[in-house]
């Protein structure tokens, strides 16, 4: 009986950790979106690379980077963008 109780406690503990981690990534992503900067998305992705919000963060980051590249408007800048964001729809359009 004691072993079953321990397993149950460990499962509850693991679930709490998972839920806490998810809540942290959600809050951090919300802050990154509010700031809407290259730095904020990079920071979020560094901390939570496999989070549920990572794909959207990459898309938003790529959009900001692409806007920066358009302002620079050089072949080298566009080549670097394509190299850094090969899966970006904007990269494919360039």
């Amino acid at each position: 009986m004691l072993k079953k109780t321990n397993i149950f406690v460990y499962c509850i503990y693991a679930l709490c950790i998972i839920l806490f981690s998810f809540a942290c990534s959600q809050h951090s992503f919300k802050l990154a979106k509010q700031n809407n900067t290259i730095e904020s998305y990079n920071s979020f992705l560094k901390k939570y690379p496999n989070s549920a919000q990572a794909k959207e963060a990459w898309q938003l980051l790529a959009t900001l980077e692409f806007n920066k590249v358009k302002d620079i408007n050089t072949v080298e800048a566009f080549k670097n963008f394509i190299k850094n964001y090969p899966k970006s729809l904007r990269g494919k359009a360039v």
Side-chain angles (χ1 to χ4, degrees):
M1 182 69 178
L2 184 60
K3 287 185 179 183
K4 287 183 181 180
T5 303
N6 285 345
I7 291 172
F8 178 74
V9 170
Y10 289 132
C11 288
I12 295 297
Y13 180 70
L15 181 61
C16 288
I17 290 172
I18 291 167
L19 291 174
F20 180 74
S21 176
F22 181 73
C24 288
S25 69
Q26 278 188 318
H27 179 70
S28 292
F29 184 62
K30 182 178 178 182
L31 291 176
K33 284 182 78 171
Q34 286 174 350
N35 291 329
N36 197 37
T37 64
I38 291 170
E39 294 78 18
S40 66
Y41 291 120
N42 276 328
S43 177
F44 172 79
L45 289 166
K46 185 176 181 181
K47 290 180 185 175
Y48 306 102
N50 299 314
S51 68
Q53 304 87 0
K55 183 177 179 180
E56 184 179 356
W58 273 111
Q59 291 169 344
L60 294 167
L61 175 61
T63 298
L64 292 175
E65 289 280 11
F66 186 74
N67 290 337
K68 185 175 158 184
V69 165
K70 286 193 313 186
D71 290 341
I72 296 170
N73 198 24
T74 65
V75 172
E76 188 65 29
F78 283 102
K79 283 182 180 180
N80 284 334
F81 178 82
I82 293 168
K83 178 182 161 194
N84 293 329
Y85 301 95
K87 295 181 180 179
S88 168
L89 295 176
R90 288 173 174 79
K92 293 177 182 176
V94 173

